Amino acid sequence: MATSANQQQFAHLFAHVLARVHAAADALIADKVLPAGIDLSRIVVEPPRDATHGDMATNAAMVLAKEAGLKPRDLAEAFAGKLRAEPLVEKVDVAGPGFLNLTLKPAVWADVLRSVLDQGAGYGRSGIGRNAAVNVEYVSANPTGPMHVGHCRGAVFGDALATLLAFAGFAVTREYYINDAGAQVDVLARSAYLRYREALGENIGEIPEGLYPGDYLKPVGEALAAEYGDRFKGRPEIEWLAPVRAKAIAMMMDQIRGDLAALNVRHDVFFSERSLVSGADDAVGRTIDALRADGLVYQGRLPPPKGAPVEDWEDREQTLFRSTQFGDDVDRPLMKSDGGYTYFASDIAYHKSKFDRGFTDMIDVWGADHGGYIKRMQAAVSAVSGGKAALDVKIVQLVKLSRGGVPVKMSKRAGEFVTLREVVDEVGRDAVRFMMLYRKNDATLDFDLAKVIEQSRDNAVFYVQYAHARGVSVFRNAAEQMPDLAIPAAGAGRAAWLAGTPLARLSDEGELAILRRLALYPRLVESAALAHEPHRVAFYLYDLASEFHAQWTRGKDLPHLRFIIQNDPELTKARLAMVEGIVTVLASGLGLLGVGAPDEMR
RNA sequence: GCGCCGGUAGCUCAGCUGGAUAGAGCACCAGACUUCGAAUCUGGGGGUCAGGGGUUCGAAUCCCUUCCGGCGCGCCA
């Protein structure tokens, strides 16, 4: 669809106004009021806390006053003089310590809504990412069993963040790192081998300590028996370990993929750790060599940690990475005493692979128990990229699971952990996803299985979805009550039908509040994406839903505020346009979170 | 002992990278359904932003420090 420059300014109103403030600053530079080359980057345009202050506020005068050698209020007056000439601006006030409060012409809000309708699902989409390649790595659960509930949060967070970044104009790759090379997958193989013998009819008795006891390995044993017969029976481990391991990992990953699909979590790339160390191409070794060539790897000794005594501490010389040179607390070992690479060494090679594949912008999503690992990984990324790549690690805090206020115990023993699948089956994918995102990632989260399915007011998922369903229902009702309007079904026809609607008839304060909220969406998308904080989208949706519900209820007391006004098709159409805008943005935001936007919820 | 993350209303949490008189929900109290979906809405009380210093026009937000809670602290992943 062709978007004129005129429409463009309403597609992202705040960016447009900020640009005009910058233009005003340039004009003041030309007037010698401001010095040339002054830093404008700290200027923000934001909605004022108090609506009586106007539609937008900017701190321009306050942040520039010092460098300009002027009093904030005097500079603000100079800005006001320039901004008053702006076509969109109705009124400019200087307030408080030097705020510039802008009141926009009423027609602006109708134009914003017009832009929402024209762009539809594309409204809020941003180019701020400039198509930069970003790698988002999340989940990366060990392929040794089904996903448990603790994985939910990171999975949902990473998935939503990736979607959000893509919407903000980044070229996103969603990645899963399969830890298929360490000692754990050998344990998995031995556990599966036991199930294999069981499948062949042997009584295996108790699962020995140190092996995975879960029943989920029985199908693996059966599959091995079906594939290999008794070929590995009674044979030494060296013969069967590799094929059994490969089969078990493959089947576990299939299960994990299924679990993720149940949560609506997607990945583009599943990257195998084993691929870094197996075969002729020893990527880990090459990475270490390269770091050594840069003087970043050496043989040395580490002091034992103070205050937390390690029982079997053995002072020995080892291969160390100079992570202290990049801000880490101590240097970190790359080789184990058995000659193998540490997990860290593999992870360096893995992140180097990301860099080699063109990513200078990396995001890893980890659980809280890996927090102590951040500095060394950032050090490593800095080292392997020559300082060209940056890694942001997002930590998702623990989820405290309960049911009706009673904590759900999660024993490590067989069958007693709560799987991701069970939670999704019990409360639904939408509820899980929304609740996981309705909290800042680095705050712990209380998740009550009973409360989440309560369809009550304190349940944000239903609150927002209900608003969407309500909006859709307005169109159903309008079509029924006012057939002469000839409302087309949702979709492309809807926008065309609404094209000539006199939106200026939306003049109620509640309606204008909603339009202002819609105008905020593009700015919200950008700030949430840049901050790597998808939870902001969830809170925005809650606010928008709240304003919609409030306006709806006002129509109960004041019939002239209802959306459907029988004897005024024009006004009805204008309000339907507003509802369409609300529904569009609610659906868009819910889509960013990977949560459904139902048309009805009866 | 060190590092990271938290501490905001009785409870659960926001607070838009430093802005104006700190906001929601739950709970509590009082109200609104013959009317577009009451899974909703309106109003009310409730705060030393853990404590103390600092930076500046301005701090819940940045720095220092103390206290409390969580996570982590060669050769696990």
Side-chain angles (χ1 to χ4, degrees):
Chain A
M1 145 184 0
T3 307
S4 71
N6 187 46
Q7 283 175 303
Q8 201 65 46
Q9 62 193 26
F10 302 110
H12 193 341
L13 190 62
F14 281 83
H16 174 71
V17 172
L18 177 61
R20 298 320 301 157
V21 172
H22 280 171
D26 288 341
L28 290 174
I29 290 171
D31 293 350
K32 311 282 188 198
V33 175
L34 289 175
I38 193 167
D39 177 21
L40 303 181
S41 65
R42 289 177 60 211
I43 298 176
V44 296
V45 173
E46 59 190 355
R49 187 182 300 279
D50 189 336
T52 61
H53 290 149
D55 298 315
M56 293 189 181
T58 177
N59 61 357
M62 290 182 288
V63 298
L64 301 182
K66 195 167 192 176
E67 194 175 339
L70 292 168
K71 288 180 185 168
R73 289 195 62 112
D74 292 345
L75 181 53
E77 288 297 347
F79 262 102
K82 300 292 181 191
L83 291 171
R84 283 189 184 109
E86 288 292 331
L88 264 48
V89 172
E90 171 120 332
K91 188 160 70 93
V92 181
D93 294 318
V94 176
F99 280 102
L100 283 155
N101 289 330
L102 311 184
T103 302
L104 304 184
K105 298 225 169 91
V108 166
W109 308 111
D111 288 331
V112 167
L113 177 56
R114 176 73 58 212
S115 182
V116 176
L117 299 175
D118 287 347
Q119 303 202 347
Y123 177 68
R125 184 178 289 280
S126 167
I128 201 169
R130 296 171 174 276
N131 215 31
V134 184
N135 186 290
V136 187
E137 180 206 332
Y138 52 102
V139 187
S140 299
N142 293 334
T144 54
M147 305 261 299
H148 61 77
V149 67
H151 293 120
C152 276
R153 194 172 182 187
V156 171
F157 177 87
D159 191 67
L161 175 57
T163 305
L164 173 62
L165 287 169
F167 196 60
F170 291 91
V172 179
T173 296
R174 305 153 173 265
E175 201 148 314
Y176 183 121
Y177 184 49
I178 309 172
N179 301 133
D180 54 0
Q184 292 184 12
V185 286
D186 288 347
V187 173
L188 172 74
R190 293 184 194 106
S191 309
Y193 181 73
L194 210 58
R195 294 299 187 182
Y196 159 76
R197 284 161 51 196
E198 183 180 48
L200 291 175
E202 196 175 324
N203 181 0
I204 58 171
E206 281 276 303
I207 305 291
E209 195 66 33
L211 294 186
Y212 298 115
D215 284 349
Y216 59 84
L217 287 174
K218 284 183 179 176
V220 179
E222 285 158 14
L224 287 165
E227 185 169 347
Y228 294 105
D230 59 2
R231 202 170 114 198
F232 294 140
K233 196 172 177 181
R235 305 302 302 171
E237 183 173 296
I238 184 100
E239 290 182 21
W240 53 257
L241 186 70
V244 168
R245 188 174 57 204
K247 183 74 183 175
I249 290 171
M251 289 184 70
M252 288 302 104
M253 283 309 298
D254 279 348
Q255 182 167 2
I256 286 170
R257 275 183 246 252
D259 289 347
L260 291 172
L263 238 195
N264 207 9
V265 170
R266 297 196 298 109
H267 288 89
D268 302 314
V269 175
F270 286 83
F271 193 99
S272 160
E273 178 186 2
R274 186 165 292 275
S275 72
L276 292 168
V277 293
S278 65
D281 181 30
D282 178 7
V284 181
R286 279 193 292 110
T287 302
I288 293 176
D289 290 345
L291 290 173
R292 199 190 302 274
D294 290 339
L296 297 173
V297 172
Y298 67 103
Q299 304 301 119
R301 294 170 191 277
L302 286 178
K306 290 170 184 163
V310 180
E311 287 154 28
D312 56 345
W313 180 268
E314 176 200 353
D315 187 25
R316 68 177 188 88
E317 191 175 83
Q318 46 189 344
T319 306
L320 297 167
F321 167 59
R322 269 187 219 284
S323 51
T324 48
Q325 219 173 80
F326 303 89
D328 198 4
D329 308 313
V330 290
D331 292 335
R332 306 291 178 176
L334 298 172
M335 307 289 289
K336 297 192 281 190
S337 56
D338 68 1
Y341 300 121
T342 60
Y343 177 79
F344 180 49
S346 302
D347 223 357
I348 296 175
Y350 171 47
H351 283 78
K352 180 171 188 303
S353 148
K354 291 182 186 176
F355 177 65
D356 291 343
R357 283 182 281 143
F359 298 104
T360 52
D361 208 348
M362 309 176 195
I363 302 171
D364 286 4
V365 180
W366 296 347
D369 53 341
H370 289 59
Y373 200 77
I374 297 176
K375 280 187 187 173
R376 80 190 69 170
M377 201 65 245
Q378 288 176 329
V381 166
S382 189
V384 298
S385 70
K388 292 196 191 77
L391 169 67
D392 184 20
V393 179
K394 302 299 283 186
I395 290 295
V396 290
Q397 275 291 345
L398 293 179
V399 175
K400 282 185 272 184
L401 199 64
S402 61
R403 183 182 276 107
V406 183
V408 174
K409 291 282 178 203
M410 291 201 279
S411 159
K412 290 277 160 64
R413 292 306 305 167
E416 286 189 42
F417 59 85
V418 180
T419 65
L420 178 149
R421 188 66 76 116
E422 285 166 342
V423 172
V424 172
D425 288 348
E426 182 170 340
V427 307
R429 156 209 289 183
D430 286 349
V432 172
R433 289 192 64 115
F434 198 96
M435 293 317 288
M436 294 289 163
L437 294 167
Y438 198 58
R439 205 112 313 180
K440 223 168 26 182
N441 60 286
D442 51 10
T444 55
L445 188 159
D446 294 312
F447 193 84
D448 193 308
L449 293 165
K451 221 172 187 174
V452 159
I453 52 176
E454 264 176 32
Q455 298 180 338
S456 64
R457 181 176 181 165
D458 65 327
N459 200 322
V461 197
F462 292 113
Y463 187 84
V464 175
Q465 288 187 323
Y466 180 47
H468 183 270
R470 250 189 171 174
V472 173
S473 83
V474 174
F475 279 88
R476 279 198 300 267
N477 287 307
E480 196 174 309
Q481 294 173 30
M482 300 175 69
D484 291 349
L485 284 177
I487 303 173
R494 188 70 64 78
W497 178 73
L498 290 167
T501 308
L503 300 176
R505 295 208 54 189
L506 298 170
S507 56
D508 176 69
E509 201 39 57
E511 292 168 343
L512 293 177
I514 288 169
L515 298 187
R516 285 192 195 97
R517 182 73 60 183
L518 296 179
L520 220 41
Y521 186 61
R523 180 179 185 269
L524 178 278
V525 166
E526 289 183 351
S527 67
L530 293 176
H532 300 166
E533 291 185 351
H535 77 274
R536 294 187 194 185
V537 176
F539 282 92
Y540 170 86
L541 292 176
Y542 188 90
D543 290 340
L544 176 58
S546 174
E547 273 159 355
F548 179 48
H549 286 313
Q551 188 63 14
W552 179 292
T553 308
R554 262 176 225 125
K556 286 192 170 300
D557 293 333
L558 306 170
H560 68 279
L561 288 181
R562 292 187 195 168
F563 304 128
I564 300 170
I565 305 294
Q566 292 280 2
N567 59 7
D568 193 341
E570 195 178 68
L571 180 57
T572 300
K573 218 172 160 181
R575 288 182 175 164
L576 287 176
M578 178 186 72
V579 173
E580 176 74 2
I582 295 167
V583 165
T584 298
V585 172
L586 286 176
S588 168
L590 287 169
L592 293 179
L593 305 181
V595 175
D599 287 351
E600 56 183 338
M601 298 179 70
R602 292 181 187 279

